[in-house]
């Protein structure tokens, strides 16, 4: 009757007291967003409230889904991560309980069913208003529901892809990509879609068009070759009442293999009457009507997203960039002292030592601060125990004791692979390996 994400109830169920809903301090507060389709009597150990800006624990809605209204609810609500009990299946993955309403007992059973989720939500700090609120909601939904942010097909939307758990959150992909660049989410490939350059829609239709006039009014014809005069043309050119006649020499053509043969096919354009051997491929947008050829069409890559360790810490702290989200393992001055001491010992004992400088560029400019922080996270996750990593202006430094340039190669390959997977859509990585004899000079230049 139940699965991990949703429950559907169709029978009148016992009151909450019979189901064992017992709050430690107070009954759960159920926010009722609209009128129930029956004369509800509060049955069981829960309290109905109607103010989304006040205290509540669970949301109950029976109205038809309206995405704009739901986004306003997320922005204004005192508890946007609260478990959602809904009658409308349009809420999709966002509904924690999809209810078939037969009476007040169903509400009580649903409130009971979401108690484990409710406890996870209550353990988190309240989300304050601000520019990071929707980002923290996205991370919080994945954390409390213990699921990834999964992409799914949505043919009713111009982008053709939707993240059901983020219902009500606008510009979902942009938000998730920003969180990925910040190191709070990790991508898994879902699909790559062609996209209209004019409006960004993925509802674009691939079609064959005339290479001269770009019309899709194309018809395939059999090609006829008249042996006597050598004329080779589309079959309709030869057609006459009762058979074939050559338009060049005006002779009747009767016998296949004696008078003529059919060496292949050609394509005729009904718009400009051109005859072509191969059509071009072009795309037409079903939303704005714009057309583009195959070489100029854009492509958008969609991913599923998993919480990283830094993302989990952000949710638990209520701060999108908590102070420990990117640990540089000591500030730059401490790093410089450490490297200098190691370098002197390595030169004296003739031991291998390598310093690697990573630079993350956006075009001709250094990447933004959050992308730099994400780079440091990627390097730290790829490094070995004993390696030291620190952020610096324009990138990051990795200090690799007892390691020569050849031995450093696996780390560089791991970092480069992570950057290609998570940051290459926008940024480019430059890697500089500094050998032992140049490390002291390099460290001396650090501010």
């Amino acid at each position: 009757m139940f699965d991990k994400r949703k429950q559907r109830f169709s029978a009148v169920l016992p009151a909450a007291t019979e189901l064992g809903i017992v709050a430690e301090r107070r009954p759960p507060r159920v926010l009722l967003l609209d009128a129930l389709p029956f004369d509800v009597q509060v049955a069981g150990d829960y309290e109905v409230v109607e103010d989304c800006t006040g205290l509540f624990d669970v949301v109950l809605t029976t109205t038809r889904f309206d995405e704009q209204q739901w986004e306003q609810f997320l922005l204004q609500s005192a508890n946007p991560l609260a478990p959602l009990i809904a009658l409308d299946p349009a809420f999709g993955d966002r509904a924690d309980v999809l209810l078939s309403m037969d009476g007040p007992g169903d509400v009580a059973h649903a409130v009971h069913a979401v108690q484990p989720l409710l406890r996870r939500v209550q353990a988190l700090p309240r989300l304050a208003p601000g520019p990071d609120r929707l980002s923290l909601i996205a991370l919080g939904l994945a954390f409390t529901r213990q699921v990834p942010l999964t992409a799914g097909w949505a043919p009713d939307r111009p982008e053709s892809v939707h993240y059901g758990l983020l219902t009500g959150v606008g510009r979902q992909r942009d938000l998730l990509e920003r969180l990925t660049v910040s190191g709070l989410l990790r991508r898994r490939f879902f699909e790559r879609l062609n996209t209209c350059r004019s409006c960004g829609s993925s509802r674009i239709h691939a079609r064959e068009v005339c290479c001269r006039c770009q019309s899709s009014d194309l018809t395939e014809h059999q090609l006829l070759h008249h042996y006597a005069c050598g004329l080779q043309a589309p079959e309709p050119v030869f057609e006459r009442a009762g058979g074939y006649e050559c338009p060049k020499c005006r002779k009747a053509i009767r016998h296949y293999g004696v008078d003529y043969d059919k060496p292949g096919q050609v394509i005729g354009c009904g718009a400009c009457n051109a005859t072509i051997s191969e059509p071009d491929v072009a795309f037409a947008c079903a939303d704005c009507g714009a057309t583009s050829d195959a070489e100029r069409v854009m492509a958008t890559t969609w991913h599923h997203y998993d919480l990283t360790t830094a993302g989990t810490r952000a949710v638990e702290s209520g701060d999108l960039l908590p102070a420990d989200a990117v640990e540089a393992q000591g500030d730059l001055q401490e790093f410089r002292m450490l490297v200098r001491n190691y370098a002197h010992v390595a030169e004296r004992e003739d031991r291998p030592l390598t310093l690697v400088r990573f630079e993350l560029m956006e075009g001709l400019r250094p990447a933004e601060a959050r992308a730099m922080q994400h780079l440091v996270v990627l390097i730290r996750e790829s490094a070995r125990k004993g390696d030291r990593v620190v952020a610096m202006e324009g990138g990051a430094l990795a200090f690799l004791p007892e390691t020569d340039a050849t031995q450093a190669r696996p780390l560089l390959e791991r970092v480069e692979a992570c950057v290609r997977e998570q940051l290459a859509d926008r940024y480019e990585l430059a890697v500089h390996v500094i050998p032992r004899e140049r490390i002291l000079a390099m460290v001396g230049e650090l501010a």
Side-chain angles (χ1 to χ4, degrees), residues 21-30 55-58 78-83 111 114-127 140 143-145 315-316:
I21 299 178
V22 179
E24 295 180 3
R25 298 182 181 177
R26 59 169 174 77
R29 292 188 175 99
V30 178
L55 293 178
F56 65 91
D57 305 297
V58 180
N79 189 8
L81 301 180
V111 172
V114 297
Q115 291 300 300
L117 171 57
L118 177 57
R119 286 191 288 272
R120 290 195 294 273
V121 172
Q122 289 174 335
L124 299 178
R126 294 287 181 180
L127 296 181
F143 177 80
T144 55
R145 275 65 179 178
V315 173
E316 293 174 334

Side-chain angles (χ1 to χ4, degrees), residues 269-442:
C269 175
C272 68
N273 295 320
T275 299
I276 58 177
S277 57
E278 291 290 340
D280 288 340
V281 176
F283 293 84
C285 178
D287 287 299
C288 71
T291 60
S292 60
D293 57 48
E295 293 181 357
R296 298 185 65 252
V297 71
M298 295 174 58
T300 300
T301 303
W302 295 85
H303 300 87
H304 307 299
Y305 296 86
D306 299 293
L307 271 177
T308 63
T309 303
T312 299
R313 289 200 296 266
V315 173
E316 293 174 334
S317 68
D319 185 354
L320 198 60
L321 290 174
D324 62 345
V326 181
E327 298 176 3
Q329 300 183 11
D331 63 24
L332 199 56
Q333 295 304 320
E334 292 176 350
F335 180 86
R336 183 169 65 175
M337 292 176 59
L338 175 70
V339 174
R340 184 182 290 116
N341 291 337
Y342 264 98
H344 284 303
V345 173
E347 287 188 355
R348 184 174 65 248
E349 303 293 336
D350 195 24
R351 303 299 302 167
L353 190 66
T354 300
L355 188 66
V356 184
R357 178 169 183 162
F358 298 88
E359 293 180 312
L360 198 60
M361 305 298 292
E362 182 179 13
L364 300 177
R365 308 187 311 276
E368 59 189 16
R370 288 184 176 178
M372 296 293 190
Q373 292 168 337
H374 191 188
L375 175 64
V376 174
V377 170
L378 293 178
I379 299 171
R380 288 182 52 236
E381 291 179 347
S382 302
R384 308 162 304 177
K385 185 177 180 180
D387 295 339
R388 303 297 296 270
V389 180
V390 68
M392 62 171 295
E393 183 177 358
L397 288 172
F399 173 59
L400 314 178
E402 298 295 324
T403 305
D404 59 25
T406 301
Q407 295 168 326
R409 194 65 239 170
L411 168 65
L412 307 187
E413 291 174 352
R414 289 195 297 271
V415 172
E416 290 169 346
C418 289
V419 170
R420 280 197 305 271
E421 178 184 352
Q422 301 189 36
L423 295 173
D425 285 355
R426 183 173 173 184
Y427 302 104
E428 294 182 1
L429 180 68
V431 179
H432 309 279
V433 178
I434 297 127
R436 187 186 69 186
E437 58 271 17
R438 293 184 49 223
I439 287 179
L440 285 174
M442 171 69 188

Side-chain angles (χ1 to χ4, degrees), residues 159-185:
E159 58 270 23
S160 299
V161 176
H162 181 63
Y163 295 86
L165 196 58
L166 301 187
T167 293
V169 176
R171 301 183 66 84
Q172 295 177 342
R173 184 179 180 276
D174 291 345
L175 181 145
L176 295 172
E177 285 296 299
R178 288 198 301 271
L179 293 174
T180 300
V181 169
S182 299
L184 306 177
L185 294 174

